[in-house]
Amino acid sequence: NSKITPLVQFSALPAEKTNQHNSKIARKGEKEMKNKKLNIQEDMIDKQYERLINARNFHYNNFNKWLMAFYAIIGALFIAFYTINKEEASNFYTELFIAIMGYIVSIACYLSGKGHYYWEINWIKLIQHFEKQYDKDVRVYSVMANKEANNSIWHPIKGANLSTSKLALFIAFLTVIAWGGVVAHLIIQEYFEICICCKLLAYLIAALISYILTCLGAKIFSSDLKNL
């Protein structure tokens, strides 16, 4: 009995060391797997963030192309209308057709800008959401360097916190009102003999109709977001 006991004790020691060694290897493996998963997640976030930036830039560039096309068409129609209107033998129906076309294209241009502004805010919010997963030192779209330092609406040679998208929408809406006024003016001049006050009232009604048409257009041509 005295000879067997040391043999059992001697054989048990390597087993304990082996278990400890195996547990260390297991912990090291788990740590490596965890670090690997974290690296994969960080890579996925980086790729998603880069893909989001590229998608936003594609949206911006695509809109700029369409906007230039709208401006070119509106400018060409205005030149055509002005040229025909200056002719002595101008045709009323030709003028009216060009004016209506300018009216329709200007509404489309306004609605396009309105849609762009909607998606612009969407892209910015998505980018800011992804940037929350980064340290503040490396964020770009969630920080503002001179929020108050260069913000003065009264100073003539300083900057101000103004939205160029809103200004573009305002100009586009004025263009719609202008073309609507031209259409109303042609119809009144051709078919009605009314006083100045009645003409002003007719122009106001035309502006109201233009506003209603833009609202209806926004409703009709809205994007389908049921699956988002």
Side-chain angles (χ1 to χ4, degrees):
N1 294 336
S2 60
K3 291 181 179 180
I4 294 174
T5 303
L7 289 174
V8 174
Q9 291 176 353
F10 179 76
S11 61
L13 287 174
E16 292 179 0
K17 290 183 178 180
T18 302
N19 292 334
Q20 292 177 358
H21 180 69
N22 291 337
S23 62
K24 287 181 180 180
I25 294 175
R27 286 196 298 269
K28 185 177 180 181
E30 290 176 358
K31 188 175 181 180
E32 290 178 353
M33 287 294 295
K34 187 176 180 180
N35 292 334
K36 188 175 181 180
K37 287 181 180 179
L38 289 174
N39 292 332
I40 293 173
Q41 288 177 353
E42 290 177 358
D43 291 339
M44 289 179 62
I45 292 172
D46 292 339
K47 289 179 180 179
Q48 287 176 332
Y49 182 70
E50 183 179 355
R51 187 166 53 188
L52 183 60
I53 296 294
N54 292 334
R56 187 212 58 171
N57 292 340
F58 174 79
H59 174 76
Y60 283 6
N61 294 332
N62 198 35
F63 171 73
N64 289 333
K65 292 176 183 177
W66 281 106
L67 193 64
M68 293 301 295
F70 280 129
Y71 285 161
I73 295 171
I74 291 173
L77 288 171
F78 177 77
I79 293 172
F81 176 81
Y82 181 81
T83 302
I84 294 174
N85 185 259
K86 285 297 181 182
E87 295 178 355
E88 293 183 0
S90 60
N91 185 279
F92 163 73
Y93 294 103
T94 303
E95 291 181 359
L96 183 63
F97 174 76
I98 294 175
I100 292 175
M101 287 299 298
Y103 188 47
I104 294 172
V105 175
S106 62
I107 290 176
C109 181
Y110 169 73
L111 294 178
S112 179
K114 202 172 181 67
H116 168 73
Y117 185 54
Y118 174 83
W119 286 104
E120 178 185 349
I121 298 299
N122 175 70
W123 290 119
I124 292 297
K125 286 187 175 295
L126 286 175
I127 291 171
Q128 289 177 341
H129 171 73
F130 268 90
E131 282 195 342
K132 290 179 181 179
Q133 302 176 74
Y134 294 95
D135 294 333
K136 291 183 178 181
D137 297 336
V138 297
R139 295 178 186 176
V140 177
Y141 295 93
S142 303
V143 294
M144 186 67 187
N146 58 344
K147 191 172 184 179
E148 299 296 338
N150 191 33
N151 184 20
S152 176
I153 60 175
W154 306 112
H155 202 290
I157 57 173
K158 280 190 175 182
N161 179 19
L162 300 173
S163 172
T164 53
S165 298
K166 291 180 181 179
L167 289 172
L169 278 176
F170 178 70
I171 296 300
F173 186 73
L174 286 182
T175 306
V176 173
I177 297 297
W179 277 110
V182 170
V183 173
H185 175 73
L186 289 173
I187 294 174
I188 292 171
Q189 192 177 36
E190 182 69 17
Y191 295 108
F192 302 98
E193 293 183 3
I194 55 178
C195 62
I196 296 177
C197 293
C198 293
K199 284 184 179 180
L200 291 176
L201 180 61
Y203 293 146
L204 289 175
I205 293 173
L208 178 61
I209 292 173
S210 298
Y211 172 73
I212 294 173
L213 287 176
T214 56
C215 293
L216 290 175
K219 186 70 175 177
I220 294 171
F221 296 104
S222 60
S223 301
D224 186 7
L225 303 178
K226 293 180 181 178
N227 296 325
L228 296 180

